[in-house]
Amino acid sequence: MDIIDAIILGIIQGLTEFLPVSSSGHLELGKFILGDDSIPQESLIFTVVLHFATALSTIVVFRKDVRDILKGLFQFKWNKETIFSLKIIVSMIPAVFIGLFFEEQLEQLFGENIQLVGFMLMITALLLFLADRAKDTSKNVTYGNAFIIGISQAVAMLPGISRSGATISSSVLLGIDKTKAARFSFLMVVPLIFGSICKEVASGNITFESQQFTPLAIGFIAAFISGLLACTWMIKLVKSSKLTYFAIYCLIVGTIAIVYSFYYS
């Protein structure tokens, strides 16, 4: 992998991790249009590094929240930080369940099936459209809400369903304040990312060669910086009810994908 490839992949990872357009869906569309051989194949270690970069950018954006949560947890008391952490754990249950028991079935859906991607992008568009028109409330995230939002996160494992779009939309449709919805959506994925990284490291499948250092470093920086920008931007978009623009984008791309699959596949 050369430097340009590393920069491009890093920026894509950083942006699509937070913007509601589905990174997995766009990757599948790219594979179909350009062909597998035309896209630089990410090594496992490169994937891990990029995910670590976006997780780190989330922590930086929400550094005050993370600091308060850790400070509250180390008090070893039943406080609001402990309660929030438990809600995060509850939200992780559906995705962990799917990842442990249906990993092979899920991987079979990632095979340039652009018709599936198209339909899932349209579902993402619908969710974003509805979320933008939901009434603002001051509700907090409950344990029941956390589990439902977690189901949305698990469903977002499908190519074409945006994780941030699905979780934020579900939160807003449940009546949760938009700022709190974005905060919970971004913080809930951090433990999953680190858990996935630990799983890959423990598997022993990750190999590192000295010539990989430069593209890995460049990719990390690109993903981290673009992740910071996308995360901050997304929070503002949710608060100002401007998700409809992304809904239109997903609708257009989804429609093109479906039409293309019928006439040119």
Side-chain angles (χ1 to χ4, degrees):
M1 182 180 298
D2 59 30
I3 302 301
I4 300 300
D5 292 337
I7 293 174
I8 293 173
L9 290 172
I11 292 174
I12 291 174
Q13 170 63 28
L15 292 178
T16 56
E17 181 67 34
F18 300 103
L19 298 181
V21 294
S22 177
S23 58
S24 61
H26 280 68
L27 180 59
E28 290 303 303
L29 292 177
K31 286 181 179 179
F32 183 87
I33 295 171
L34 300 177
D36 278 330
D37 295 335
S38 301
I39 292 182
Q41 298 300 306
E42 299 176 70
S43 65
L44 184 56
I45 189 172
F46 192 74
T47 302
V48 168
V49 167
L50 293 189
H51 278 88
F52 178 72
T54 50
L56 187 59
S57 65
T58 305
I59 293 173
V60 171
V61 172
F62 291 98
R63 56 190 177 279
K64 184 180 182 298
D65 298 87
V66 173
R67 184 180 67 245
D68 291 342
I69 291 171
L70 293 176
K71 185 178 179 181
L73 287 175
F74 281 105
Q75 291 178 359
F76 300 104
K77 296 179 180 179
W78 188 256
N79 49 35
K80 63 180 182 179
E81 289 79 18
T82 303
I83 294 173
F84 183 83
S85 299
L86 287 176
K87 290 174 183 177
I88 292 291
I89 293 173
V90 169
S91 74
M92 293 167 56
I93 293 174
V96 171
F97 179 80
I98 296 297
L100 289 176
F101 297 102
F102 297 96
E103 184 176 7
E104 292 184 4
Q105 292 88 337
L106 190 63
E107 288 179 351
Q108 292 176 3
L109 299 176
F110 290 81
E112 300 181 43
N113 188 349
I114 67 167
Q115 189 175 116
L116 172 64
V117 172
F119 280 116
M120 294 302 103
L121 281 171
M122 295 182 108
I123 292 176
T124 295
L126 177 62
L127 288 173
L128 295 173
F129 183 81
L130 292 175
D132 248 3
R133 279 147 186 77
K135 295 181 179 180
D136 287 332
T137 71
S138 57
K139 289 183 180 180
N140 293 313
V141 180
T142 65
Y143 289 107
N145 293 154
F147 188 76
I148 294 173
I149 298 168
I151 293 175
S152 298
Q153 181 165 247
V155 172
M157 291 180 175
L158 294 171
I161 299 291
S162 164
R163 194 208 68 82
S164 62
T167 54
I168 292 175
S169 296
S170 298
S171 301
V172 173
L173 292 173
L174 287 170
I176 299 168
D177 175 77
K178 290 183 177 180
T179 302
K180 294 175 182 177
R183 173 176 177 260
F184 190 79
S185 172
F186 291 140
L187 288 175
M188 69 186 283
V189 76
V190 173
L192 281 177
I193 291 177
F194 282 118
S196 177
I197 290 173
C198 291
K199 177 185 176 183
E200 297 297 348
V201 172
S203 69
N205 295 326
I206 295 179
T207 58
F208 175 77
E209 298 177 2
S210 58
Q211 63 266 29
Q212 290 179 301
F213 178 78
T214 299
L216 285 174
I218 295 296
F220 176 89
I221 294 171
F224 177 73
I225 294 175
S226 59
L228 284 176
L229 297 174
C231 186
T232 305
W233 186 28
M234 187 61 182
I235 295 170
K236 293 179 180 179
L237 290 172
V238 173
K239 291 169 65 176
S240 58
S241 298
K242 292 183 178 179
L243 297 179
T244 299
Y245 298 114
F246 290 100
I248 295 172
Y249 172 81
C250 289
L251 182 62
I252 292 172
V253 175
T255 301
I256 292 173
I258 293 172
V259 172
Y260 195 96
S261 69
F262 279 127
Y263 290 99
Y264 298 99
S265 60

